[in-house]
Each structure stands twice: as C-alpha cells, then as structure tokens.
Amino acid sequence: MKQALSGHRGWGPAWRDAEPKSAYDIIIVGGGGHGLATAHYLAKVYGITKVAVVEKGWIGSGNAGRNTTIIRSNYLLPGNNPFYEFSMKLWEGLEQDVNYNAMVSQRGVLNLYHSDAQRDAYARRGNAMRMHGVDAELLDRDAVRRLVPFMDFDNARFPIQGGLLQRRGGTARHDAVVWGYARAASDRGVDIIQNCEVTGFLRDGDRVVGVETTRGAIKAKKVGMAVAGNTTKVARLAGLKLPIESHVLQAFVSEAIKPFIAGVVTFGAGHFYISQSDKGGLVFGGDIDGYNSYAQRGNLPIVEDVCEGGMAVMPAIGRVRMLRSWGGIMDMSMDGSPIIDHAPMPGLYLNTGWCYGGFKATPASGYCFAHLLARDVAHPTATAFRLDRYATGHLIDEKGSGAQANLH
Amino acid sequence: MRIPCPFCGDRDLTEFTYLGDATIARPDPEGPDAAQRFYEAVYLRDNPAGLLDELWYHGAGCRTWLRVTRNTVTHEVRGAVFANPHAATGAGA
C-alpha cells in the first residue's frame, strides 16, 4: 500500500547479490528456476545452507524467462507420472512455502482430440492419471463446447470430438517463481552469485571439487548442474559427453485483449497450444524448429506453422496482432524425459534433459535434485530419471520423441 | 535460413528435412564392443555450439541427402555437398 502511494520508488532488492566465497558445501551451476528451487529445498528441507548458485547472466535470464508458464501433471508413464504430480502438489503450496505471490492459477489444461484413436489414447492417459491419484476428465464434444465455444469444431481435417481436461493444471508467473525461490533461498543463507560463468571444473583426481569461474575458483564438496540448453557446453568442461541435443523452441505473445480463453488449450494434432496471460496477451507456441541450435531465436517457417495451427483451431484469433516471439534453447534428451542423476565422476550431479517441459517441473526438479545432492540417492519420485537408462534400454518414452522422433 | 543445394541452388529451409549430426558413423555390428559403440552412436552427441556438419534431406527439391555445414550459434550456413559423393555424377549437375 505504501509503495502504491509513493510511486513504487522504495522497493529494495528481494535477495542478496552475493560475492563468491572460497568454498561451499554445494555449488549449483545455473540460476534459473530449477537451480534456485534446488537451493531453496536444500536449505529448507535438507538443512544445507552453505550453498552457492552461480549464474553466468542474471537469474531467470534463460529458459525460466522464455517459457509459456504452463503447469500440469497429465503424464502417462509410471516413471513420469508420480514426479510431475509431486511437482503439481508443490505448485499448489508454493506461494505459502516461499512466501511470494507466484500467481499460480489452476485454470485447467485441455488437450483436444479429433479421432476415435486419439480419444482412446486420451482415455488411457486419463485412466493412468487417475490410478496415480491425478485428476483427469474425459470430455465429449458438447462439454468442450461449453468450455471453449469459439473453436472450429467442424474443421474439415481435425474436427473436435472432445478433450482430456486436467482442472488442477494451469499457469504460474514465471518471473515470480524465480524471484520467489531466490528470495526464500537467499533468506536462508544461500549465496546467489550473478555474472559468474563457469569456465572449468576443479578436479582432485577423478573427483570434482569445485568450479573455475569468471570470478575466480570456488571449492565445493558437491557441484550440481542445472543449465538446461547449455548442458553440453558445461558437461564438456568436465570431459563428459551426454545424450543431449540443444534445440530452439519458439513462443509467441499477442497484443493484450479482454478475457477470452479461460484455461490452457492444446491442439496437439496441429502443433499448437494457447493460453491467455493475466495481462491479456495470448501466449502460444508449437513445435521446436527441429535442428540443433544455440541461437535463442528461431526461423520463420515455424512462426508460420504455429500461426496456421492457431488459425485452424481458433479462427477468431486471426484478427489479433502478434506482439513478440522469442526462442529458448532446450536440452533435448534422446527419449524426451529428464535426467536427475549422478554424473559418472564423483562430486558432480546432473539435472538436465527437460526438453520443452521444464517449467512445470521446476518445484519437483529442485526438490528431487536437492534430495540427490543432500542424500546421494534419488528421490522416490525421480528414480527413473537415470543417466544410464539409454545404455540399459529403460527409456521413458512418453511422447515417442526426443530430439528427433526417429530415435526409438 | 537458406541452404545452397549443390543441385537445385539456394533454397528455403521449408524444402528440407533435418536428420542431425553427419559425423556419426554406423559401428561394426560384428565388433567386440558393438553394444557400447551402438549406444554411443545412437544416443551420445557432441552437440557443438559452433560449426556442425549435419544431414539434411531435400525432399521438396532434388530429393538427395546433403551434408550441410552450419553454425548452430548464428544459423549461418557455410556450404552444402551431396552426402553421397556419387550423387553428383548421375545427376548431371
């Protein structure tokens, strides 16, 4: 209230912009949502506060600031489902946990289906979700029409037959998630060190015992990596080759309009999904561009493809002007599922392979990575996310595609 | 992004399909460490930030496989040759 009446000139920083100390118990490389969540849970749940988060830019400047803010746990496979539901439950209590308004809004996520086969697949997915205690409702055409009446239900190629609805899914404010975790971690003693790029690892024989950075060497008993699209670059500094490709995924926002779309609608058959932000902009996206990239910007064919998908399912949005588009660099794992595991060398821990689904996983990713770093065993909901599953054949093939669809 | 197809000339990205890293060779299935080598070939990637040799298929053009050198940081395409060195002789290019 005081700020509102005094022109918002009195705000102080929400967290300490720390200087690096010479040694920590744990260093987390990457100050995005996953890295900061890890620091928060390490401090709060596992009682480890001699922790540093090192970030090469400013916190939340990577994919945490480039996603489309959707949260959901509508997963099919046993290795994924409990993990994402754990994440969903953490989302539901996040604001009380970190004492920060993350604008978590459970406005519902609706996946459309257009054929009998797709309906059966969604019925199976919905049943799997409910057997794991996740909410799911299979809607027929009329029920979808009541929710989202303005779609092209009689589209010649993809007539809408119904949808799978997860009412507890929705959106959250991406920047607030980063800032909330940062403040909560910082208040418990975690050092958040920005403009500090990791340039190498300190080694004692095979063991990783710290990091070389642009702001000097920092020692640590354990080092965790949560660097998304830069995973390969950082892992190479440790001499590690991983089942990861970096790809660019674009997202888009329109000019702000009055409330139009209540929840999140995905049109998987047309490679398109959309929601409306609280500011009124339509936030939408589609597929990755499909070639290796570190560019943080994509090419026009995908812009056209996504907008065509949007026009096919929601012709009304054709009159809204697109405001911005941007690209983020995805750490595409080869089976499309994440890795939260020990690296082959002692002292180094991996958190990677989030593909284009990292935002919704932020709380559980942080929690499970903190568990692994603190206890040296996988959290019960993340036991399937092993690095060696590619060699042993225990892939988690949720979508049938990783970096490319032809690898399974 | 435009790719200079050695047969068709400079063509738009939409005419091509991507396969990925062109430097990966199929291991010898009879080799003593075949399982490990196949795991490496199928799953592990150099994923460089910079120049990468990669395979693109010109599906909406001459329908040949190309080996394209491209910068993954800037999307600059340095050049393209036929992936199969014998492709040029039969095509009359």
Side-chain angles (χ1 to χ4, degrees), chain B:
Chain B
M1 220 159 83
R2 291 168 76 82
I3 295 175
C5 174
F7 187 74
C8 307
D10 220 18
R11 291 300 182 93
D12 189 74
L13 172 66
T14 47
E15 295 188 4
F16 298 86
T17 311
Y18 187 68
L19 185 65
D21 195 329
T23 60
I24 298 160
R26 180 181 162 83
D28 174 14
E30 306 292 329
D33 51 355
Q36 175 66 19
R37 300 289 289 279
F38 267 95
Y39 155 67
E40 290 169 6
V42 171
Y43 292 116
L44 300 189
R45 292 290 178 269
D46 284 327
N47 191 24
L51 290 180
L52 173 64
D53 275 356
E54 47 195 21
L55 291 169
W56 290 80
Y57 177 64
H58 196 184
C62 57
R63 301 204 284 176
T64 48
W65 282 97
L66 305 179
R67 192 182 170 106
V68 178
T69 307
R70 191 177 60 92
N71 190 321
T72 60
V73 178
T74 62
H75 293 170
E76 174 208 5
V77 177
R78 283 285 179 87
V81 296
F82 291 118
N84 176 355
H86 304 296
T89 55

Side-chain angles (χ1 to χ4, degrees), chain A residues 113-186:
Chain A
Y113 64 78
H114 314 273
S115 66
D116 291 355
Q118 218 183 351
R119 179 201 60 213
D120 292 350
Y122 276 149
R124 180 181 175 222
R125 177 176 296 263
N127 285 335
M129 288 162 65
R130 293 176 78 130
M131 284 166 71
H132 280 98
V134 185
D135 69 307
E137 285 169 57
L138 195 67
L139 304 184
D140 63 12
R141 186 182 161 97
D142 290 338
V144 171
R145 205 188 274 275
R146 281 195 292 278
L147 276 180
V148 206
F150 44 79
M151 291 191 296
D152 183 7
F153 282 80
D154 299 311
N155 183 292
R157 176 66 185 86
F158 293 114
I160 295 166
Q161 285 192 9
L164 181 67
L165 176 66
Q166 185 185 17
R167 289 192 192 271
R168 286 164 63 239
T171 59
R173 171 74 194 163
H174 54 288
D175 288 330
V177 174
V178 171
W179 299 333
Y181 276 126
R183 188 176 74 177
S186 181

Side-chain angles (χ1 to χ4, degrees), chain A residues 6-22:
Chain A
S6 60
H8 289 280
R9 291 199 185 85
W11 292 106
W15 66 88
R16 293 174 298 110
D17 198 13
E19 291 295 314
K21 298 190 189 111
S22 60

Side-chain angles (χ1 to χ4, degrees), chain A residues 13 33 49 62 78 95 119 143 186 210 218-219 255-256 285 304 330 345 358 360 372 377 386 402 404:
Chain A
T49 55
E95 289 158 335
R119 179 201 60 213
S186 181
I218 314 172
K219 288 193 171 233
E255 60 188 332
E304 191 177 13
M330 309 293 115
M345 61 282 285
K360 74 176 95 66
L372 179 73
V377 291
R386 297 169 63 101
Q404 284 183 317

